[in-house]
Amino acid sequence: MSTKDPKDTVRVALLGCGTVGGEVARLLTEQAGELAARAGARLEIAGIAVRRPDKHPELPQELLTADVTGLVTRDDVDVVVELVGGIEPVRGWLLDALKAGKSVVTANKALLADHSAELFEAADASGVDLYFEAAVAGAIPLLRPLRESLAGDRITRVMGIVNGTTNFILSAMDATGAGYAETLDEASRLGYAEADPTADVDGYDAASKAAILASLAFHTRVTAADVHREGIADVTASDIAAARSLGRTVKLLCICERVTDEDGVESVAVRVHPVMIPLSHQLSGVNGAFNAVYVEADAAGELMFYGQGAGGAPTASAVLGDLVAVARNLVLGGRGPRESAHAALPVRPMGQTPTRYHLSLYVADVAGVLAQVAQVFADHGVSIAAVRQSDSKGSASLVVITHLATDAALKSTVDQIAKLDVVHEVVSVMRVEGEDQ
Ligand code: NDP
Ligand code: HSE
């Protein structure tokens, strides 16, 4: 690919002009002068592909098309910015674009989580760029730090809130007791939710982001299928009340860990599920559509990234940052970082991953109940960290928090406890994070 004269123009094909694409188009126009100064070339929209061109009277009509394949392979296009979402047909469009020598900027986590290897291969074959900062945590610069700034360090853990919609819902449920459905509608109205919001609520969106984060952090190909995924659909008002009464709150966390077993064998464990965290933990104060991610690395220690995780303008900021980077590479020569998957660590199954549980039970208020419950924990080799019992008429409320054990051992402990005659009800079971082990 030839470098461009600094006075040249970088021509952009914009695929999708909805919540994020609309903001990208607006900022490209409103900030044209500044962006040109930073990129070293004018960033000019060559065409905009949408599903229904007739529904976009606000856009320059001469730029609009529904022929995406035609647009991405056009000779006068340098960069394709993809803000449509979903896997097919987007995968085919982007492979066509990369093969035609166009650099690609995308916010598409679902596609990246499952197809980054073939996209990187196509980019390498053509010597072009593939940037995707906006795919994880909206406006927060997170992927570039992992791909570039921390490339000299050994990352051991990436943990945080990476889905704005579910955080918006859980924050509202905790703060006001608002209902789940009305809060989800509000998140959709504000442009945070995916086109199919079950992707948010059932944890698919966060699992895709976890796969991307783990791949970058641990130099290993991790796909969404490798991520243990649980969403927030089963989180009840009782879970949130139970958390409150214990000085905790509930968050949907993405946790990517490098785990070393007793034989010194390394693997990666990647999971997305609701957790209880103490109100004193910094993540408990991350509310609404904000995201926050901790990164732990051997030399750097602990780093925290925080900001708006969803929404049109915040996400457009990350997209435009990538676009300027691509334009600079086109102007000055050189390429951005490529795939780094040399470590190829195995993925550890969830059952073997160490976790901690909170368990809240209603039990018979009779002598020996605590001993029976404790015996089940002991039988499964699970150590108890704390127990709290409070009595009411004829029944007692029992809360148990465990130390770290394998998730499989904890699960079978809970199954066994639920079968005890003295246990009237299992009120809430949730994993715990952010406390001493
Ligand atoms: P929207 O649903 O708001 O916009 C999607 C756009 O894609 C629309 O303009 C739509 O056209 C167009 N489109 C859909 N199907 C086709 C098709 N077959 N051919 C041509 N155009 C098509 O989505 P968002 O802007 O919210 O999200 C876009 C991407 O950004 C997704 O990958 C999403 O995951 C990601 N993202 C979104 C964030 C957010 O906060 N919303 C944050 C971070 C990432 P039309 O307008 O005619 O319907
Ligand atoms: N639906 C996503 C979220 C958009 O709520 O986090 C940002 O990736």
Side-chain angles (χ1 to χ4, degrees):
M1 165 140 312
S2 64
T3 59
K4 289 182 165 276
D5 184 286
K7 289 191 186 71
D8 261 0
T9 298
V10 169
R11 290 182 49 89
V12 179
L14 181 60
L15 313 188
C17 205
T19 304
V20 183
E23 286 299 306
V24 168
R26 178 181 69 78
L27 290 167
L28 273 173
T29 309
E30 289 179 10
Q31 312 283 330
E34 287 225 36
L35 288 169
R38 290 176 206 153
R42 259 165 41 82
L43 304 178
E44 188 177 285
I45 300 180
I48 304 175
V50 291
R51 187 174 30 191
R52 304 156 300 177
D54 54 314
K55 301 279 186 208
H56 290 277
E58 79 287 5
L59 295 172
Q61 298 299 294
E62 69 283 5
L63 295 180
L64 282 176
T65 180
D67 175 13
V68 186
T69 307
L71 177 61
V72 301
T73 52
R74 245 168 57 186
D75 284 346
D76 64 333
V77 167
D78 300 302
V79 186
V80 171
V81 174
E82 185 271 308
L83 300 167
V84 171
I87 293 182
E88 297 294 353
V90 177
R91 174 179 153 275
W93 296 335
L94 296 193
L95 287 172
D96 285 349
L98 292 165
K99 284 174 192 158
K102 323 294 183 190
S103 287
V104 165
V105 172
T106 176
N108 191 329
K109 45 272 162 117
L111 180 68
L112 258 303
D114 283 348
H115 297 281
S116 57
E118 66 176 326
L119 292 169
F120 272 118
E121 272 164 30
D124 281 347
S126 297
V128 295
D129 278 330
L130 173 62
Y131 276 91
F132 47 94
E133 182 65 62
V136 182
I140 306 173
L142 176 61
L143 304 191
R144 194 162 287 133
L146 292 178
R147 291 173 93 182
E148 299 185 46
S149 321
L150 289 164
D153 209 336
R154 181 177 176 277
I155 296 173
T156 51
R157 197 162 199 252
V158 180
M159 175 181 93
I161 296 166
V162 295
N163 183 269
T165 301
T166 47
N167 202 51
F168 184 82
I169 294 170
L170 291 173
S171 304
M173 285 171 80
D174 193 14
T176 66
Y180 181 94
E182 77 201 60
T183 318
L184 176 57
D185 285 349
E186 176 74 350
S188 292
R189 198 183 58 72
L190 292 167
Y192 304 149
E194 295 302 299
D196 173 1
T198 55
D200 297 292
V201 170
D202 291 341
Y204 290 99
D205 179 80
S208 294
K209 291 166 175 169
I212 295 169
L213 290 172
S215 299
L216 299 181
F218 306 131
H219 306 278
T220 289
R221 281 183 186 163
V222 178
T223 67
D226 296 320
V227 180
H228 174 84
R229 174 193 54 78
E230 293 169 36
I232 64 163
D234 293 332
V235 176
T236 62
S238 324
D239 289 323
I240 290 179
R244 272 275 144 194
S245 71
L246 292 163
R248 297 181 170 86
T249 189
V250 177
K251 295 289 182 190
L252 184 74
L253 290 197
C254 136
I255 303 167
C256 314
E257 293 166 308
R258 189 193 284 265
V259 185
T260 307
D261 69 16
E262 50 283 2
D263 301 322
V265 176
E266 281 197 326
S267 57
V268 298
V270 192
R271 53 201 165 101
V272 165
H273 53 70
V275 299
M276 279 188 191
I277 53 170
L279 292 172
S280 56
H281 194 282
Q282 277 179 300
L283 288 178
S284 78
V286 176
N287 290 316
F290 279 78
N291 287 184
V293 177
Y294 281 99
V295 177
E296 290 171 29
D298 279 352
E302 196 170 85
L303 305 161
M304 186 177 177
F305 298 83
Y306 171 79
Q308 298 194 65
T315 308
S317 162
V319 172
L320 286 169
D322 281 354
L323 188 52
V324 168
V326 169
R328 284 175 178 159
N329 292 340
L330 287 170
V331 170
L332 299 171
R335 287 180 60 203
R338 305 173 192 187
E339 186 187 31
S340 174
H342 61 88
L345 297 174
V347 176
R348 176 178 282 239
M350 183 62 182
Q352 292 171 23
T353 300
T355 61
R356 299 182 67 193
Y357 272 33
H358 155 277
L359 179 61
S360 171
L361 308 168
Y362 281 131
V363 295
D365 195 7
V366 294
V369 172
L370 195 53
Q372 282 192 52
V373 171
Q375 187 60 49
V376 179
F377 279 94
D379 290 346
H380 289 82
V382 174
S383 161
I384 293 174
V387 179
R388 197 178 80 178
Q389 185 169 1
S390 52
D391 299 334
S392 59
K393 278 183 203 142
S395 145
S397 165
L398 192 63
V399 171
V400 182
I401 297 181
T402 74
H403 284 297
L404 277 177
T406 65
D407 203 73
L410 288 161
K411 251 192 168 34
S412 44
T413 305
V414 173
D415 290 347
Q416 196 67 41
I417 282 172
K419 288 182 192 146
L420 293 176
D421 288 340
V422 292
V423 172
H424 293 168
E425 188 187 345
V426 177
V427 182
S428 126
V429 181
M430 201 168 286
R431 296 185 187 88
V432 177
E433 284 290 331
E435 329 195 6
D436 293 339
Q437 314 299 294

